């Protein structure tokens, strides 16, 4: 039964989160056991979970990746793009962004835009369709400004998410980034087109760690 539960958790993480692979042929990659065992932890949050900050890694200082590239990088280490599920975690990560003088970072946040998103509870998706892909957890409706950290401003002066790039003839802004006072609006969430590149934060993913530990019992994870 334990094996079944663990495999189901990972299957949900693979299938439920791989929203980008259907758009451009790229896939959501599985963890690499050896990399999981050697994962880099720059800091641990007060709850004990480990985090990796791309700008603290000499190999990736000044480097940026798109939204899916970030997730795949993190997942190879049994981590995933950061999900800001609680106010304390959100504020803790935001302070790291400020301390590191980063202009922005990617998170695992994304709008539901793939088959199955027609569910009534996700409508309209611009309000109810945002979720943390790494944890398969819905965000509060974007209209509930007390339960999220969307910015009140953006490139065209509208509250986030505003799908600005699509309005200006570009791509849909389907992914969630944290911007550091980019529009003189403080440090807050913004919807951004997923192809843009940014620094990133990974956090340990319990489902991936459990899966790799179970399937590689002789490897110290």
């Amino acid at each position: 039964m334990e094996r079944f539960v663990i495999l189901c958790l990972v299957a949900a993480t693979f299938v439920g989160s791989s929203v980008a692979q259907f758009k451009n042929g790229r896939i959501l990659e599985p963890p690499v056991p050896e990399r999981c065992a050697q994962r880099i932890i720059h800091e641990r949050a007060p709850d004990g979970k480990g985090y990796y900050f791309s700008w603290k890694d000499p190999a990736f200082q000044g480097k940026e990746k798109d939204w899916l590239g970030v997730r795949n990088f993190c997942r190879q280490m049994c981590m995933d793009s950061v999900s800001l599920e609680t106010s304390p975690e959100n504020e803790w990560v935001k302070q790291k962004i400020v301390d590191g003088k980063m202009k922005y970072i990617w998170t695992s946040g994304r709008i539901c835009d793939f088959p199955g998103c027609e569910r009534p509870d996700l409508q309209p998706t611009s309000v109810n369709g945002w979720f943390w892909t790494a944890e398969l957890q819905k965000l509060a409706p974007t209209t509930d400004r007390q339960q999220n950290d969307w910015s009140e401003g953006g490139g065209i002066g509208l509250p986030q998410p505003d799908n600005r790039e699509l309005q200006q003839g570009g791509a849909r802004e389907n992914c969630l980034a944290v911007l550091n006072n980019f529009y003189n609006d403080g440090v807050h969430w913004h919807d951004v087109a997923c192809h843009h590149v940014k620094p990133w934060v990974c956090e340990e993913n319990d489902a991936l760690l459990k899966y790799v530990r179970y399937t590689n019992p002789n490897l110290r994870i």
Side-chain angles (χ1 to χ4, degrees), residues 78-98:
C78 283
M79 306 178 86
D80 211 324
S81 298
V82 67
S83 301
L84 305 174
E85 301 165 89
T86 67
S87 181
E89 181 182 26
N90 185 52
E91 295 304 317
W92 187 80
V93 171
K94 282 168 54 173
Q95 188 60 54
K96 303 304 177 185
I97 296 170
V98 172

Side-chain angles (χ1 to χ4, degrees), residues 6 32 51 62 66-67 76 99 103 159 174 214:
I6 291 173
V32 178
Y51 290 76
D66 66 11
W67 184 85
Q76 289 180 359
D99 293 345
K103 294 187 295 184
N174 285 346
Y214 192 86

Side-chain angles (χ1 to χ4, degrees), residues 162-219:
D162 62 358
N163 220 356
R164 173 184 63 84
E165 192 165 330
L166 181 67
Q167 294 186 50
Q168 296 177 333
R172 292 183 178 276
E173 295 189 324
N174 285 346
C175 292
L176 195 160
V178 180
L179 273 56
N180 181 4
N181 205 34
F182 198 79
Y183 297 107
N184 296 315
D185 61 331
V187 187
H188 296 292
W189 303 351
H190 287 254
D191 58 329
V192 178
C194 306
H195 68 271
H196 289 291
V197 295
K198 302 186 185 303
W200 64 94
V201 177
C202 306
E203 65 176 319
E204 289 180 310
N205 184 278
D206 289 340
L208 297 181
L209 284 166
K210 288 178 181 178
Y211 171 75
V212 171
R213 285 172 180 148
Y214 192 86
T215 54
N216 298 266
N218 297 322
L219 188 65

Side-chain angles (χ1 to χ4, degrees), residues 114-167:
F114 52 93
C117 296
E118 303 83 7
R119 284 170 22 192
D121 64 305
L122 298 176
Q123 303 306 310
T125 54
S126 60
V127 174
N128 296 308
W130 287 91
F131 70 113
W132 300 118
T133 60
E135 302 296 337
L136 301 180
Q137 179 175 316
K138 285 179 61 178
L139 276 70
T142 59
T143 51
D144 186 353
R145 309 305 280 193
Q146 302 302 312
Q147 296 297 319
N148 56 53
D149 197 17
W150 294 105
S151 175
E152 293 302 321
I156 52 177
L158 296 177
Q160 301 297 292
D162 62 358
N163 220 356
R164 173 184 63 84
E165 192 165 330
L166 181 67
Q167 294 186 50

Side-chain angles (χ1 to χ4, degrees), residues 18 20-28 66-70 72:
S18 56
Q21 64 179 314
F22 308 113
K23 302 291 185 181
N24 52 23
R26 295 165 66 194
I27 64 170
L28 189 69
D66 66 11
W67 184 85
L68 184 58
V70 167
N72 282 337

